[in-house]
Coordinates of all heavy atoms in Angstrom, one line a residue:
E652 N 0.6 36.2 -27.1 CA -0.4 36.9 -26.3 C -0.5 38.3 -26.9 O 0.5 38.9 -27.2 CB -0.1 36.9 -24.8 CG -0.2 35.6 -24.3 CD 0.2 35.6 -22.7 OE1 0.1 36.7 -22.1 OE2 0.4 34.5 -22.1
R653 N -1.7 38.8 -27.0 CA -2.0 40.2 -27.4 C -2.6 40.9 -26.2 O -3.2 40.3 -25.4 CB -2.9 40.3 -28.6 CG -2.3 39.6 -29.9 CD -3.3 39.7 -30.9 NE -4.4 38.9 -30.6 CZ -5.4 38.5 -31.4 NH1 -5.3 38.8 -32.6 NH2 -6.4 37.8 -31.0
P654 N -2.5 42.2 -26.1 CA -3.1 43.0 -25.0 C -4.6 42.8 -25.0 O -5.1 42.9 -23.9 CB -2.7 44.4 -25.3 CG -1.5 44.3 -26.2 CD -1.6 43.0 -26.9
S655 N -5.3 42.6 -26.2 CA -6.7 42.6 -26.2 C -7.2 41.3 -25.8 O -8.5 41.1 -25.6 CB -7.2 43.0 -27.5 OG -6.7 42.0 -28.5
D656 N -6.4 40.2 -25.6 CA -6.9 38.9 -25.3 C -7.6 38.8 -24.0 O -8.6 38.1 -24.0 CB -5.7 37.9 -25.3 CG -5.1 37.6 -26.7 OD1 -5.6 38.1 -27.7 OD2 -4.0 37.0 -26.8
T657 N -7.0 39.5 -23.0 CA -7.7 39.5 -21.7 C -9.1 40.2 -21.7 O -10.0 39.7 -21.0 CB -6.8 40.1 -20.6 OG1 -6.5 41.5 -21.0 CG2 -5.5 39.4 -20.4
F658 N -9.2 41.2 -22.5 CA -10.5 41.9 -22.6 C -11.6 41.0 -23.2 O -12.6 40.9 -22.7 CB -10.3 43.2 -23.5 CG -11.6 43.9 -23.8 CD1 -12.3 44.6 -22.9 CD2 -12.2 43.7 -25.1 CE1 -13.5 45.2 -23.1 CE2 -13.4 44.4 -25.3 CZ -14.1 45.1 -24.4
F659 N -11.2 40.3 -24.3 CA -12.2 39.5 -25.0 C -12.5 38.2 -24.2 O -13.7 37.8 -24.1 CB -11.7 39.1 -26.4 CG -11.8 40.3 -27.3 CD1 -10.6 40.8 -27.9 CD2 -13.0 40.9 -27.7 CE1 -10.7 41.9 -28.8 CE2 -13.1 41.9 -28.5 CZ -12.0 42.5 -29.0
A660 N -11.5 37.7 -23.5 CA -11.7 36.6 -22.7 C -12.7 36.9 -21.5 O -13.5 36.2 -21.1 CB -10.4 35.9 -22.1
G661 N -12.4 38.1 -20.9 CA -13.3 38.5 -19.8 C -14.6 38.9 -20.2 O -15.7 38.6 -19.5
L662 N -14.7 39.4 -21.4 CA -16.0 39.9 -21.9 C -16.9 38.5 -22.2 O -18.0 38.5 -21.8 CB -15.9 40.6 -23.2 CG -17.1 41.2 -23.9 CD1 -17.6 42.4 -23.0 CD2 -16.8 41.7 -25.3
L663 N -16.3 37.6 -22.8 CA -17.1 36.3 -23.0 C -17.4 35.6 -21.8 O -18.5 35.2 -21.5 CB -16.2 35.4 -23.9 CG -16.6 33.9 -24.1 CD1 -17.9 34.0 -25.0 CD2 -15.6 33.1 -24.7
S664 N -16.4 35.4 -20.9 CA -16.6 34.8 -19.7 C -17.7 35.5 -18.8 O -18.5 34.9 -18.2 CB -15.4 34.7 -18.9 OG -14.3 34.1 -19.6
G665 N -17.6 36.9 -18.6 CA -18.5 37.6 -17.8 C -19.9 37.5 -18.5 O -20.9 37.4 -17.6
W666 N -20.1 37.6 -19.7 CA -21.4 37.6 -20.4 C -22.0 36.1 -20.1 O -23.1 36.1 -19.8 CB -21.3 37.8 -21.8 CG -22.6 37.5 -22.6 CD1 -23.6 38.3 -22.6 CD2 -22.8 36.3 -23.3 NE1 -24.6 37.6 -23.4 CE2 -24.0 36.5 -23.9 CE3 -22.1 35.2 -23.7 CZ2 -24.7 35.5 -24.7 CZ3 -22.7 34.3 -24.5 CH2 -23.9 34.4 -25.0
Y667 N -21.2 35.1 -20.2 CA -21.8 33.8 -20.1 C -22.1 33.5 -18.6 O -23.2 32.9 -18.3 CB -20.8 32.7 -20.6 CG -21.3 31.3 -20.5 CD1 -22.2 30.9 -21.5 CD2 -20.9 30.5 -19.5 CE1 -22.7 29.6 -21.4 CE2 -21.4 29.2 -19.4 CZ -22.3 28.7 -20.4 OH -22.8 27.5 -20.4
V668 N -21.3 33.8 -17.7 CA -21.4 33.5 -16.3 C -22.5 34.4 -15.6 O -23.3 34.0 -15.0 CB -20.1 33.3 -15.5 CG1 -20.3 33.1 -14.1 CG2 -19.2 32.2 -16.1
F669 N -22.2 35.7 -15.8 CA -22.9 36.6 -15.0 C -24.1 37.2 -15.8 O -24.8 38.1 -15.3 CB -22.1 37.8 -14.5 CG -20.9 37.3 -13.6 CD1 -19.6 37.4 -14.0 CD2 -21.3 36.8 -12.4 CE1 -18.6 37.0 -13.2 CE2 -20.3 36.3 -11.5 CZ -18.9 36.4 -11.9
G670 N -24.4 36.7 -17.0 CA -25.5 37.1 -17.8 C -26.8 36.7 -17.3 O -27.9 37.4 -17.6
E671 N -26.9 35.7 -16.5 CA -28.2 35.2 -15.9 C -28.7 36.2 -14.8 O -27.9 36.7 -14.1 CB -28.0 33.8 -15.3 CG -29.3 33.3 -14.7 CD -29.0 32.0 -14.0 OE1 -28.0 31.3 -14.3 OE2 -29.8 31.6 -13.0
R672 N -29.9 36.6 -14.8 CA -30.4 37.5 -13.9 C -30.8 36.9 -12.6 O -31.8 36.0 -12.5 CB -31.7 38.3 -14.4 CG -31.2 39.2 -15.5 CD -32.4 40.0 -15.9 NE -32.7 40.9 -14.7 CZ -32.9 42.1 -14.6 NH1 -32.7 42.8 -15.8 NH2 -33.3 42.7 -13.6
N673 N -30.0 37.1 -11.5 CA -30.3 36.7 -10.2 C -29.7 37.7 -9.3 O -28.9 38.6 -9.6 CB -29.9 35.2 -10.0 CG -28.5 35.1 -10.1 OD1 -27.6 35.8 -9.5 ND2 -28.0 34.0 -10.8
A674 N -30.1 37.6 -8.0 CA -29.7 38.6 -7.0 C -28.1 38.6 -6.9 O -27.6 39.7 -6.8 CB -30.4 38.3 -5.6
I675 N -27.5 37.5 -6.9 CA -26.1 37.5 -6.7 C -25.3 38.1 -7.9 O -24.5 38.9 -7.7 CB -25.6 36.1 -6.6 CG1 -26.3 35.3 -5.5 CG2 -24.1 35.9 -6.3 CD1 -26.0 35.9 -4.1
N676 N -25.8 37.8 -9.2 CA -25.1 38.3 -10.3 C -25.4 39.9 -10.4 O -24.5 40.6 -10.8 CB -25.6 37.7 -11.6 CG -25.0 36.3 -11.7 OD1 -24.1 35.9 -11.0 ND2 -25.7 35.4 -12.5
E677 N -26.7 40.3 -10.1 CA -26.9 41.7 -10.1 C -26.1 42.4 -9.2 O -25.8 43.6 -9.3 CB -28.5 41.9 -10.1 CG -29.2 41.5 -11.2 CD -30.6 41.7 -11.1 OE1 -31.1 42.5 -10.2 OE2 -31.4 41.2 -12.0
Q678 N -25.8 41.8 -8.0 CA -25.0 42.5 -7.1 C -23.5 42.5 -7.5 O -22.9 43.6 -7.3 CB -25.1 41.7 -5.7 CG -24.9 42.6 -4.5 CD -25.2 41.7 -3.3 OE1 -24.9 40.5 -3.2 NE2 -25.9 42.4 -2.3
N679 N -23.0 41.5 -8.1 CA -21.6 41.4 -8.4 C -21.2 42.2 -9.6 O -20.3 42.9 -9.6 CB -21.1 39.9 -8.6 CG -21.1 39.1 -7.3 OD1 -21.1 39.7 -6.3 ND2 -21.1 37.8 -7.5
S680 N -22.0 42.0 -10.7 CA -21.6 42.5 -12.1 C -21.6 44.0 -12.1 O -20.6 44.6 -12.6 CB -22.6 42.0 -13.1 OG -22.5 40.6 -13.2
P681 N -22.6 44.8 -11.7 CA -22.5 46.2 -12.0 C -21.6 46.9 -11.1 O -21.0 47.9 -11.5 CB -24.0 46.7 -11.7 CG -24.8 45.5 -11.3 CD -24.0 44.3 -11.3
N682 N -21.3 46.4 -9.9 CA -20.4 47.1 -9.0 C -19.0 47.4 -9.6 O -18.7 48.5 -9.8 CB -20.3 46.4 -7.7 CG -21.5 46.4 -6.9 OD1 -22.5 47.3 -7.2 ND2 -21.8 45.6 -6.0
P683 N -18.2 46.5 -10.0 CA -17.0 46.9 -10.6 C -17.0 47.6 -11.9 O -16.4 48.6 -12.1 CB -16.2 45.5 -10.8 CG -17.1 44.4 -10.3 CD -18.4 45.0 -9.9
V684 N -17.9 47.2 -12.8 CA -18.1 47.8 -14.0 C -18.6 49.2 -13.9 O -18.1 50.2 -14.4 CB -18.9 47.0 -15.0 CG1 -19.2 47.6 -16.3 CG2 -18.2 45.7 -15.2
G685 N -19.7 49.4 -13.2 CA -20.4 50.6 -13.1 C -19.5 51.7 -12.3 O -19.5 52.7 -12.7
T686 N -18.9 51.2 -11.3 CA -18.0 52.0 -10.5 C -17.0 52.7 -11.4 O -16.6 53.9 -11.4 CB -17.4 51.4 -9.3 OG1 -18.5 50.8 -8.5 CG2 -16.6 52.3 -8.5

Side-chain angles (χ1 to χ4, degrees):
E652 292 180 15
R653 295 176 299 193
S655 61
D656 291 351
T657 55
F658 172 76
F659 289 114
L662 189 69
L663 171 72
S664 305
W666 170 76
Y667 183 77
V668 173
F669 298 114
E671 180 185 338
R672 288 191 61 128
N673 60 49
I675 305 296
N676 289 347
E677 287 182 12
Q678 206 173 41
N679 288 341
S680 300
N682 290 342
V684 175
T686 302

